[in-house]
Amino acid sequence: MEHSIQCMEVEKQFTGDGITTNALHQVNLKLKKGEFVAVVGPSGSGKSTLLSLLGTLDRPTNGEILYGEQSVSKMKVNEIADFRFENIGFIFQQFHLLPTLTALENVMVPLFSRRVPYNKKERALQLLEQVGLKDKLNSLPSQLSGGQQQRVAIARALIHEPHWLLADEPTGNLDSETGEVIFQLVSQLNKEKGCGVIFVTHDPLLAGRADRIIEMKDGEIISDAAGER
């Protein structure tokens, strides 16, 4: 399957208390395999909603999302779960690590109920070494700094070798120095593994270093420009 992404007239509406909110309005977007893309805009502009739809965590109200020639908008629930496992990794602002599991176990979580053609523990060990946590394998999240927890989350997102890595404010809970380290790590993984990256950020300096900067406002894309990378 070709690993490009295309949004065609994508809309997302939320209804609550009798009020309908248009979170996304007729979004058209094409993303090439391996691109490093920043999504920026004020709070409430639709950034996280777009990321959620691209990551198949939610479905559009109208429109279609294609991965290559495959429409994920029309997949059944069980098909979506398998597709997500095979293609997409997530990094969130909140690290979402399980507090009773070690770093090594947290990285292996996406594989717990999956049969895979490789040794799960060896893959997790390799990734933790790659993100600089070889000496923290048996540490619990409470024993790790924020930056270290985010590194564990990155390793977990990569455990199944996704074609796209989606990151929602991945440096938002970190100090600027640690955030820079995390950004460099994700950028390096993008270059070395060819994994496409879409990251939402409020930091214009980080966004400017992407291949491409997509700016959103009021649920629409108002700018799509090249970055400095």
Side-chain angles (χ1 to χ4, degrees):
M1 183 185 77
E2 183 189 350
H3 303 300
S4 60
I5 303 175
Q6 184 174 2
C7 293
M8 302 169 63
E9 299 290 314
V10 168
E11 297 185 340
K12 183 62 182 179
Q13 298 173 343
F14 296 101
T15 301
D17 297 326
I19 300 173
T20 298
T21 303
N22 293 310
L24 292 179
H25 180 65
Q26 293 184 341
V27 170
N28 291 289
L29 178 65
K30 291 183 179 181
L31 302 172
K32 299 176 183 177
K33 174 186 176 182
E35 275 194 294
F36 194 85
V37 182
V39 183
V40 301
S43 296
S45 61
K47 305 185 303 297
S48 293
T49 300
L50 177 62
L51 202 69
S52 180
L53 295 181
L54 293 176
T56 70
L57 296 176
D58 201 356
R59 295 178 184 266
T61 306
N62 294 299
E64 195 169 14
I65 298 176
L66 301 175
Y67 273 73
E69 301 294 324
Q70 197 168 9
S71 175
V72 296
S73 314
K74 299 175 181 177
M75 286 184 182
K76 297 177 182 178
V77 174
N78 61 322
E79 293 175 331
I80 282 286
D82 289 338
F83 177 87
R84 189 185 304 128
F85 175 78
E86 292 168 3
N87 292 281
I88 303 166
F90 296 94
I91 310 172
F92 300 98
Q93 182 176 352
Q94 307 295 334
F95 314 124
H96 295 310
L97 301 181
L98 297 177
T100 60
L101 299 185
T102 65
L104 180 64
E105 291 166 340
N106 263 289
V107 173
M108 294 170 64
V109 162
L111 304 181
F112 278 171
S113 61
R114 297 278 179 173
R115 297 184 66 179
V116 291
Y118 48 81
N119 185 290
K120 298 177 182 180
K121 186 174 181 179
E122 285 183 7
R123 172 71 61 83
L125 287 168
Q126 289 171 358
L127 285 166
L128 282 170
E129 183 174 0
Q130 193 170 1
V131 300
L133 291 179
K134 186 179 180 180
D135 59 339
K136 300 292 183 181
L137 304 179
N138 297 313
S139 298
L140 296 173
S142 61
Q143 299 170 315
L144 301 173
S145 68
Q148 289 171 333
Q149 290 185 60
Q150 191 60 293
R151 288 172 184 241
V152 174
I154 291 171
R156 180 186 59 194
L158 294 170
I159 189 71
H160 54 293
E161 297 191 334
H163 300 296
W164 286 93
L165 189 61
L166 275 54
D168 196 354
E169 294 280 359
T171 62
N173 278 340
L174 306 173
D175 62 80
S176 57
E177 183 176 347
T178 306
E180 172 64 21
V181 171
I182 294 300
F183 179 87
Q184 291 283 5
L185 177 58
V186 173
S187 181
Q188 179 184 355
L189 291 168
N190 166 256
K191 291 178 179 177
E192 292 179 355
K193 291 183 172 293
C195 175
V197 175
I198 308 167
F199 76 100
V200 167
T201 182
H202 278 99
D203 188 334
L205 295 178
L206 286 184
R209 292 157 59 191
D211 294 328
R212 185 173 168 189
I213 309 165
I214 294 169
E215 184 178 1
M216 299 189 69
K217 183 179 180 181
D218 298 330
E220 298 182 350
I221 294 176
I222 61 172
S223 174
D224 187 347
E228 299 175 358
R229 191 163 175 263

